Amino acid sequence: MKCTRCKDTAVIALPSHNAGFCPECYLLFFERQVEKAIKDKKLFSHDDKILIALSGGKDSLALAWQLKKLGYDVSGLHIDLAIPGSSADARSHVERFCSENRLELYILEMEKMGLPIPEVKKIIKRPVCSVCGKIKRYYFNKFAMDNGFNVLATGHNLDDEVARLFSNVFRWDAAYLGDQGPLLPAENGFVRKVKPLYRMGEFETANLSFLAGIDYGFTPCPYSKGASFTFYKTLMDELEHKQPGRKLNFYEGFLSRGQKAFAKMDREEGQKPTPCLNCGYPTSEDICGVCRIRQILGDS
């Protein structure tokens, strides 16, 4: 197979784009896909101060590498969840990456915040993944707001977004469907949130990381076994294998023809967030979810 762009030997085939690329042209392809996402969705500009949520995995590190290469003003924030068997490995990859790439890094330790995930897991009566996600979103947003960042970027890729859309459609959750997309404007105590990798799948970000020499972590979280998103991704992978390009068509079709309708419905019928009475974080209850968890931990 020859490279679609330069006709040299291709090392990566992308059936969804009906194309193949040599290493050099693949890096250019990836860069242009990210630039297209930023430009088409007006995610941010070179004047913005961008905080990147760094997990230590391939997606967030690939995002940081690409945005820094494109000259954006970026810094990283890693949240150490204190999970035995995975958190130390994730943190070491983030620290090494930021040191090698001269990227400013901030770290928040949930142990010091009084919210180590193993202890949280003991006191909740539902899967810890959703609670862990809530805690991370809380601190990513709070840190950005408190430290002068006007954009929070995450490494969510096309597979993440399609799995989430699939799940939200199954439940016809208007609030989540209205919020889903690569851009959430700043409002009601939330910083602007963006997902510049929404056009790239996990296979594509893994290839970028390999070709760019990014040493990323892949130790799975011991608590993630049986997560519904993993199952949805498997289903969508099978569909993509038989019908290349279906994931991106599904997601972009939703963005162009469905998302605005759900957002309008949520604005008219949904509950408006108000400041948490305890910490001021926007919430639909008197006390936000993170303060309630902290309260339960304190009582246990």
Side-chain angles (χ1 to χ4, degrees), residues 17-251:
H17 292 271
N18 193 29
F21 295 102
C22 69
E24 183 179 341
C25 290
Y26 181 78
L27 293 176
L28 184 60
F29 162 79
F30 192 98
E31 181 174 299
R32 287 180 174 173
Q33 290 293 312
V34 174
E35 287 182 307
K36 176 176 173 56
I38 295 170
K39 181 180 178 183
D40 286 357
K41 302 302 179 186
K42 299 180 174 58
L43 300 183
F44 46 77
S45 73
H46 283 88
D47 295 326
D48 289 311
K49 189 176 179 185
I50 304 167
L51 181 68
I52 304 178
L54 296 176
S55 68
K58 63 184 185 312
D59 302 307
S60 62
L61 298 188
L63 174 62
W65 180 87
Q66 188 63 77
L67 294 189
K68 186 171 177 60
K69 184 171 180 289
L70 288 168
Y72 288 100
D73 180 3
V74 292
S75 300
L77 172 62
H78 175 70
I79 294 183
D80 187 331
L81 301 169
I83 299 175
S86 71
S87 290
D89 182 64
R91 178 170 174 166
S92 69
H93 279 89
V94 170
E95 290 176 328
R96 189 160 52 249
F97 171 85
C98 290
S99 174
E100 291 173 354
N101 290 276
R102 298 180 180 178
L103 187 73
E104 188 170 21
L105 172 65
Y106 304 92
I107 293 179
L108 293 180
E109 298 180 0
M110 290 301 97
E111 185 86 50
K112 292 181 179 177
M113 297 289 180
L115 288 167
I117 298 304
E119 295 304 313
V120 173
K121 185 175 184 297
K122 290 178 184 176
I123 55 102
I124 62 170
K125 298 177 181 177
R126 54 193 171 111
V128 75
C129 293
S130 63
V131 179
C132 181
K134 183 190 295 287
I135 292 171
K136 287 190 290 186
R137 289 192 296 274
Y138 176 98
Y139 280 105
F140 281 133
N141 187 74
K142 179 174 172 48
F143 188 90
M145 296 287 288
D146 290 349
N147 291 278
F149 293 94
N150 65 324
V151 177
L152 174 61
T154 63
H156 289 99
N157 59 42
L158 179 61
D159 294 273
D160 299 323
E161 287 299 279
V162 169
R164 184 180 171 214
L165 176 57
F166 197 56
S167 172
N168 290 335
V169 167
F170 261 20
R171 293 181 285 110
W172 292 116
D173 192 320
Y176 281 110
L177 287 166
D179 272 352
Q180 179 151 9
L183 169 65
L184 275 179
E187 60 180 358
N188 299 321
F190 292 106
V191 71
R192 187 193 325 165
K193 296 177 183 174
V194 299
K195 302 171 183 174
L197 299 185
Y198 83 90
R199 296 180 55 81
M200 314 300 289
E202 290 189 0
F203 175 73
E204 288 149 345
T205 56
N207 276 306
L208 182 282
S209 296
F210 176 75
L211 294 174
I214 297 171
D215 178 24
Y216 61 87
F218 47 82
T219 303
C221 174
Y223 302 151
S224 66
K225 191 177 294 182
S228 58
F229 274 21
T230 304
F231 175 63
Y232 294 145
K233 284 183 179 180
T234 302
L235 291 177
M236 300 307 287
D237 281 344
E238 188 171 341
L239 178 64
E240 181 75 12
H241 178 70
K242 294 181 178 178
Q243 299 179 3
R246 187 59 68 184
K247 287 181 188 174
L248 188 56
N249 289 342
F250 177 48
Y251 187 65

Side-chain angles (χ1 to χ4, degrees), residues 259-279:
Q259 192 268 345
K260 288 181 181 176
F262 286 106
K264 181 174 183 294
M265 186 187 305
D266 188 47
R267 282 196 301 274
E268 294 174 350
E269 302 174 9
Q271 196 168 6
K272 305 299 180 192
T274 55
C276 169
L277 296 178
N278 189 38
C279 72

Side-chain angles (χ1 to χ4, degrees), residues 1-14 17-22 25 29:
M1 183 177 184
K2 291 187 180 301
C3 174
T4 301
R5 182 170 177 271
C6 73
K7 308 307 177 188
D8 198 353
T9 302
V11 297
I12 298 167
L14 296 179
H17 292 271
N18 193 29
F21 295 102
C22 69
C25 290
F29 162 79

